[in-house]
Amino acid sequence: MKAIHVPKGGGLDNLTVADIPDAADPGPGEISVRLHASSLNFHDYGIVSGNMPTEDNRIPMADGAGEVTAIGDGVTEFATGDAVVSTFFPDWIDGPPPLADFTRTPGDGLDGYAREAVTLPASWFTKAPDGWTHAEAATITTAGLTAWRALVVDGGLKAGDDVLVLGTGGVSIYALQIALAMGARVFATSSSDAKLERLADMGASGTVNYKTDTDWGSTIAKMTDGRGVDHVVEVGGPATLQQSIKACRIGGHMALIGVLTGRSGDIPTAAMMAKHQRLQGLIVGSRNMQKDMVRAMETTGLRPVLDKEFPLDQIADAFRHEESGDHFGKITLSI
């Protein structure tokens, strides 16, 4: 079967399409899945670009969605024909996080889903939301669950809350949709006026261009009558955190998710202390969180925003599209 290999050192021009052995028949507790889609994330880009070194000929992509083709002995949660989606941390079923690295994450420490089929433990998957396409389902594993955990699990989001999302990547768009579906009010930033218009059309109550308004945190706070937002989905990192603190209310919650502006930097700790704010670092979530999210998507009718789809053998072009920053929502691969 066909798979993508990342050579040691990475590089988009060095990605190759390889023939690998077909997936084995499922053993006890395992399922075989014919993969149909994956979706691109910043973490995947780190792997394929070589910025996050991994093993030679690693199969990339943490997100995988497809159809169960066979089940092993003892599997009762799934049946052949079920639509399923992968989990980011296969060993994290429930409870507090058990690890602080990516050694057990598909597409990084383990081979991922840029291939046609897999046979793996059933616990590495959940059912996909009923009625979703495989491309839609593939967006849950990383981006969707990150937004869900940030707002619902860690943030305790409730109707009437104010939420700030930064930019128009997959996590931010998911966060906007989840917040709106749960009765919250959403504010958003972008460097593109055209994208800000799309955010407003989706329901954002206020938007700010962070390139033309460098004190955008204060502007967002003014939009809430000076109170500040209850939650910030902070995907930028060190270069945006100062403004996020300004935008966030006294006693508010900031979910620290991204490193888009770097892995370290100055943090105005005194300002955060003075406002009694909570800064919560997180990376995706557990399998049970994902199952809860799937039920919520089915209940609310929420569907992810898809940008552009590429065939698997054009994976390098897909990541170049991500590099450009022109996308709005999730970029996907068809397999």
Side-chain angles (χ1 to χ4, degrees), residues 125-141:
F125 295 86
T126 70
K127 288 184 179 179
D130 188 41
W132 282 30
T133 67
H134 294 301
E136 288 174 326
T139 68
I140 285 179
T141 299

Side-chain angles (χ1 to χ4, degrees), residues 54-68:
T54 187
E55 296 295 325
D56 192 29
N57 290 329
R58 173 65 74 220
I59 299 173
M61 307 308 292
D63 300 357
E67 180 180 342
V68 177

Side-chain angles (χ1 to χ4, degrees), residues 90-138:
D91 306 318
W92 185 10
I93 304 301
D94 198 9
L99 72 174
D101 57 36
F102 302 109
T103 55
R104 295 288 296 166
T105 295
D108 191 333
L110 304 171
D111 279 333
Y113 297 103
R115 47 180 157 168
E116 293 180 315
V118 293
T119 295
L120 293 167
S123 60
W124 288 34
F125 295 86
T126 70
K127 288 184 179 179
D130 188 41
W132 282 30
T133 67
H134 294 301
E136 288 174 326

Side-chain angles (χ1 to χ4, degrees), residues 21-69:
D22 290 340
D25 293 334
E30 293 182 331
I31 59 174
S32 294
V33 179
R34 172 61 172 96
L35 295 164
H36 291 288
S38 184
S39 74
L40 277 62
N41 300 284
F42 187 73
H43 182 88
D44 301 306
Y45 176 74
I47 298 298
V48 299
S49 66
N51 292 329
M52 298 175 64
T54 187
E55 296 295 325
D56 192 29
N57 290 329
R58 173 65 74 220
I59 299 173
M61 307 308 292
D63 300 357
E67 180 180 342
V68 177
T69 56

Side-chain angles (χ1 to χ4, degrees), residues 200-276:
D201 289 341
M202 290 181 66
S205 295
T207 62
V208 179
N209 187 316
Y210 64 81
K211 283 290 182 66
T212 58
D213 183 354
T214 56
D215 192 25
W216 50 265
S218 297
T219 301
I220 294 291
K222 289 176 183 176
M223 290 179 178
T224 64
D225 296 324
R227 175 178 177 270
V229 298
D230 300 282
H231 309 271
V232 180
V233 181
E234 175 44 90
V235 299
T240 56
L241 189 53
Q242 181 177 3
Q243 291 299 317
S244 291
I245 291 170
K246 289 183 179 182
C248 191
R249 69 166 172 86
I250 296 171
H253 161 243
M254 294 178 289
L256 183 59
I257 293 164
V259 292
L260 296 179
T261 65
R263 294 179 176 273
S264 62
D266 294 333
I267 298 175
T269 53
M272 190 168 63
M273 289 166 57
K275 296 181 77 173
H276 310 274

